[in-house]
């Protein structure tokens, strides 16, 4: 084969190789772009629990207050009423309560509230329904749980009352989003800047009264948490 012919064939081979490499590179970029699209993660919607003045709530004052909505029954049962606000970017949310079981008489209710100026009202006959997702033991005081390592003492549970009970409410929604079995609530929308998404969003302010009651017979201590999560609106 002449040198000129060899050079022509090498040029053809080189061009074909370049085309193949370009094709592979393009396919990789297309695939990478598709992966980027598939793996992109939307930032979660914002939801916070605050007091009625809008300050983030990190703890709940459970001290009994004379001359307020708090009351004490003749049998020693104390009822503590505290207002709280759910600030959410979704018109649907769900509440959860977790508590330990030292106090056998510990009970709670959550009442949807409405705002009228600076005052908040609720109907004591309307409670947010829900159920415990784990069972109580046969003595109705302690939670039935698998034995956890941090509660073991030579194979035995050190303190069964330290096991928490988890209570999950039904979805709470404004009337336009309400479905069968859900709890209707009144929310107050307001357009604000959302720091987490760096964009303007509608925030829904939903008010509740939390009632916690127990019988003060012995000095016991329980942990009590209230949590909230957004539910995607359809």
């Amino acid at each position: 084969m002449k040198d000129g012919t060899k050079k022509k064939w090498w040029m053809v081979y080189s061009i074909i190789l370049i085309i193949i490499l370009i094709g592979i590179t393009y396919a990789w970029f297309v695939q990478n772009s598709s992966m980027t699209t598939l793996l992109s993660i939307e930032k979660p919607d914002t939801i916070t629990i605050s007091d009625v003045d809008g300050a983030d709530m990190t703890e709940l004052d459970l001290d009994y207050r004379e001359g307020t909505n708090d009351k004490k029954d003749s049998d020693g049962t104390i009822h503590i009423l505290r207002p709280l606000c759910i600030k959410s970017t979704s018109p649907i949310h769900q509440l959860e309560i977790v508590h330990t079981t030292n106090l056998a008489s510990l009970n709670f209710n959550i009442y949807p509230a409405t705002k009228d100026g600076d005052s908040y009202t609720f109907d004591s006959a309307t409670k947010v329904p829900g159920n415990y997702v784990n069972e109580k033991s046969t003595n109705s005081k302690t939670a039935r749980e698998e034995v956890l390592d941090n509660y073991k003492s030579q194979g035995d549970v050190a303190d069964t009352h330290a096991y928490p009970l988890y209570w999950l409410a039904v979805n709470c929604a404004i009337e336009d989003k309400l479905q069968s079995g859900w709890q209707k609530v009144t929310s107050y929308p307001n357009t604000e800047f959302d720091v987490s998404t760096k964009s303007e969003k509608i925030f829904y302010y939903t008010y509740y009264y939390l009632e916690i009651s127990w019988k003060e017979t012995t000095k016991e201590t329980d942990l009590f948490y209230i949590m909230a999560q957004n539910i995607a609106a359809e």
Side-chain angles (χ1 to χ4, degrees):
M1 187 179 293
K2 295 181 179 180
D3 290 342
T5 305
K6 286 182 179 180
K7 288 180 180 179
K8 288 180 181 178
W9 278 110
W10 275 113
M11 287 177 66
V12 171
Y13 289 146
S14 298
I15 292 169
I16 291 172
L17 182 60
I18 291 170
I19 291 171
I20 291 172
L21 288 174
I22 290 173
I24 293 172
T25 305
Y26 176 75
W28 186 87
F29 275 115
V30 170
Q31 183 184 18
N32 189 58
S33 176
S34 299
M35 287 176 64
T36 302
T37 302
L38 289 171
L39 296 177
S40 63
I41 299 174
E42 293 289 334
K43 290 186 177 180
D45 285 340
T46 301
I47 187 167
T48 59
I49 300 178
S50 65
D51 60 25
V52 292
D53 295 322
D56 287 351
M57 185 179 289
T58 55
E59 62 181 8
L60 197 62
D61 177 16
L62 297 183
D63 289 336
Y64 176 76
R65 299 175 184 170
E66 291 279 359
T68 67
N69 288 328
D70 297 349
K71 64 179 182 177
K72 184 183 289 187
D73 296 339
S74 57
D75 65 353
T77 301
I78 293 176
H79 299 263
I80 301 294
L81 272 171
R82 296 291 180 267
L84 56 89
C85 174
I86 304 298
K87 178 183 177 183
S88 170
T89 50
S90 172
I92 309 169
H93 60 262
Q94 189 174 35
L95 302 174
E96 182 177 7
I97 285 178
V98 182
H99 65 86
T100 50
T101 55
N102 283 303
L103 293 167
S105 57
L106 179 66
N107 290 294
F108 61 87
N109 291 303
I110 304 174
Y111 306 98
T114 55
K115 182 180 180 181
D116 184 11
D118 293 329
S119 63
Y120 305 87
T121 59
F122 69 95
D123 181 359
S124 60
T126 304
K127 305 172 185 177
V128 177
N131 291 290
Y132 282 100
V133 296
N134 59 334
E135 299 177 18
K136 293 185 178 181
S137 63
T138 53
N139 67 6
S140 74
K141 184 175 181 180
T142 60
R144 291 175 57 189
E145 291 282 354
E146 295 296 327
V147 176
L148 306 176
D149 288 340
N150 54 329
Y151 294 128
K152 281 183 179 179
S153 175
Q154 297 180 345
D156 296 324
V157 179
D159 186 358
T160 56
H161 304 305
Y163 287 139
L165 290 174
Y166 296 84
W167 180 89
L168 194 62
V170 299
N171 289 348
C172 297
I174 60 175
E175 189 169 12
D176 290 348
K177 302 295 182 180
L178 201 61
Q179 295 185 23
S180 177
W182 291 10
Q183 175 62 52
K184 177 184 173 182
V185 294
T186 302
S187 297
Y188 301 85
N190 189 46
T191 302
E192 301 174 21
F193 183 77
D194 186 3
V195 177
S196 65
T197 60
K198 294 181 172 58
S199 62
E200 293 286 330
K201 277 194 172 183
I202 297 176
F203 282 88
Y204 297 87
Y205 289 79
T206 311
Y207 298 94
Y208 296 94
Y209 263 94
L210 172 64
E211 178 190 22
I212 306 174
S213 62
W214 68 91
K215 195 168 185 177
E216 197 172 52
T217 54
T218 56
K219 296 297 182 183
E220 298 283 358
T221 301
D222 268 314
L223 297 178
F224 189 100
Y225 300 90
I226 181 167
M227 296 171 283
Q229 67 171 345
N230 276 331
I231 303 296
E234 295 182 359

